[in-house]
Amino acid sequence: MTTTTTSWNEIHARHRSELLGYCYRMLGSPFDAEEAVQETMLRAWRGHDAFAGTSSLRVWLFRIATNVCLDMLRQRPRREHPIDVTGAGDAGSPLGQPDDRRWIAPAPDRWLLPPGTDPLETAVLHDSVRLAFVAALHCLSPTQRAALILRDVLKLSAQETAALLGITVAAANGLLRRARHRLANKPAQLMPPVDLTDEQHALLERFVDAFERYDIPALTALLHDDATLSMPPYGLWLAGRAQIERWFLREPNPCRAARAIPVKANCSPAFAIYHADDRQKSLRAFAVQIVTVRDDRIAAIDVHIGPRLFGLFELPAELAGANAFLVDDSDSLR
């Protein structure tokens, strides 16, 4: 295959988003996914003359990406959700030490829902990038994870998947069968519906309003009794409305005068949280918060702390001046 610089740039632009989504599902970190896609395109560029055309260019790129991801997974710890692997803590406990390499992190929807996606595939894609599902994927072995994503999300054939993984069709089908069986045993309540009702949208609006006014009684009244609060990259998480209320009421509390800006992350209700500086002259990037709604209450708040995430969502690290406290979020929570 002979390519010019221009055509290679076109290939990169055409396939980058889908490759990012695939690598994110495989690796559980948007930053690891960016690294994997860069390495994939570098390997593809270096080896493009050896491309025999026995498969499509898309499948060939996914084969390289899979090998890159499997190489990375051999060298790095498995990504998890704190709630899945540790016991609930106490609101009076210190956060402890952060660990950026251990926990699942959010990714922007523009990676996960490529432009031109067939509407019939939208529901499958939505479910495949919810944080709960991505965490569940990481309970699988890397090859089981790859087989399931390639078959059920990317819709590759059994023959393509087997060739891509360098195994027989029977072995590929076995990986897929075991992966599906294991995921089928995950609790159904972890996967909220794709579409929120009008009442649930109104619930989120009340949640943001209470958060920005620092009205903690009003905020916690919107939670289920068994709601959870997690704060990656810290392992501490809290269970229950009372513990969450204690956490938000601790002093000093950086959530006073904070802002919550709607963002599109993991096909879930999500907000970029800005905290006021000490003089309240500006707002600084703090965390990307994903909210899980179940029925008529909020079931989980996952606060992914780290200003570095804001660049993925094309947001500034700081909102300065008078406009910092008058951010236009007229796009609403829908």
Side-chain angles (χ1 to χ4, degrees):
M1 178 179 69
T2 301
T3 56
T4 64
T5 300
T6 300
S7 62
W8 192 256
N9 288 339
E10 291 171 350
I11 290 169
H12 184 276
R14 184 164 67 249
H15 294 283
R16 183 175 185 272
S17 178
E18 193 175 33
L19 286 168
L20 280 169
Y22 174 64
C23 293
Y24 171 70
R25 292 174 179 89
M26 285 291 294
L27 300 170
S29 160
F31 304 112
D32 288 355
E34 286 189 316
E35 180 183 338
V37 171
Q38 289 176 0
E39 178 63 20
T40 295
M41 301 309 292
L42 179 61
R43 291 188 190 182
W45 181 77
R46 286 174 174 170
H48 67 266
D49 286 336
F51 176 59
T54 55
S55 65
S56 70
L57 177 62
R58 175 176 179 260
V59 171
W60 181 65
L61 290 171
F62 275 113
R63 181 174 187 173
I64 298 172
T66 300
N67 289 331
V68 170
C69 288
L70 293 177
D71 287 346
M72 293 175 69
L73 289 167
R74 292 186 189 102
Q75 303 168 18
R76 305 181 186 194
R78 185 177 74 184
R79 297 256 176 193
E80 301 170 304
H81 191 286
I83 292 172
D84 295 333
V85 294
T86 64
D90 183 87
S93 301
L95 275 172
Q97 294 299 314
D99 188 350
D100 287 314
R101 292 169 58 88
R102 184 175 182 186
W103 311 116
I104 299 289
D109 280 5
R110 60 188 172 82
W111 287 12
L112 309 173
L113 297 173
T117 300
D118 186 330
L120 295 177
E121 299 176 5
T122 299
V124 173
L125 288 174
H126 271 254
D127 282 346
S128 74
V129 294
R130 300 300 184 93
L131 279 179
F133 185 81
V134 175
L137 282 175
H138 285 250
C139 294
L140 305 173
S141 72
T143 51
Q144 287 176 348
R145 193 183 314 157
L148 185 133
I149 298 168
L150 292 167
R151 292 293 307 280
D152 288 356
V153 178
L154 299 176
K155 303 303 181 183
L156 270 60
S157 69
Q159 291 76 15
E160 288 172 325
T161 300
L164 191 152
L165 293 173
I167 57 179
T168 66
V169 172
N173 285 337
L175 287 172
L176 179 62
R177 183 171 58 253
R178 290 190 292 275
R180 286 174 173 171
H181 175 75
R182 189 161 186 180
L183 289 187
N185 293 326
K186 300 298 290 184
Q189 66 266 26
L190 291 180
M191 294 303 299
V194 171
D195 296 319
L196 298 180
T197 65
D198 289 343
E199 290 77 12
Q200 289 170 332
H201 281 296
L203 169 69
L204 289 170
E205 290 171 357
R206 295 197 301 274
F207 172 79
V208 170
D209 176 66
F211 177 81
E212 293 187 337
R213 290 188 294 105
Y214 195 65
D215 186 342
I216 304 307
L219 186 152
T220 53
L222 303 175
L223 307 180
H224 280 288
D225 289 340
D226 61 350
T228 60
L229 171 67
S230 72
M231 295 160 281
Y234 300 94
L236 177 69
W237 65 277
L238 307 174
R241 181 188 295 164
Q243 286 285 340
I244 295 172
E245 183 171 26
R246 282 181 59 204
W247 180 265
F248 276 113
L249 288 174
R250 76 196 190 286
E251 294 292 349
N253 197 303
C255 289
R256 294 183 186 276
R259 290 301 313 268
I261 311 303
V263 294
K264 298 183 182 299
N266 291 81
C267 299
S268 301
F271 307 92
I273 305 300
Y274 285 87
H275 280 178
D277 64 15
D278 292 338
R279 297 176 300 165
Q280 293 198 357
K281 298 294 185 180
S282 65
L283 290 167
R284 294 180 180 174
F286 175 68
V288 172
Q289 179 185 92
I290 293 185
V291 178
T292 300
V293 177
R294 187 177 74 237
D295 301 324
D296 62 346
R297 289 289 186 274
I298 290 168
I301 306 170
D302 294 298
V303 184
H304 298 267
I305 300 171
R308 187 182 175 198
L309 289 166
F310 281 56
L312 301 175
F313 295 90
E314 301 176 336
L315 290 172
E318 182 176 1
L319 300 173
N323 290 335
F325 297 90
L326 296 171
V327 177
D328 178 12
D329 51 8
S330 57
D331 288 340
S332 81
L333 309 178
R334 296 177 184 268

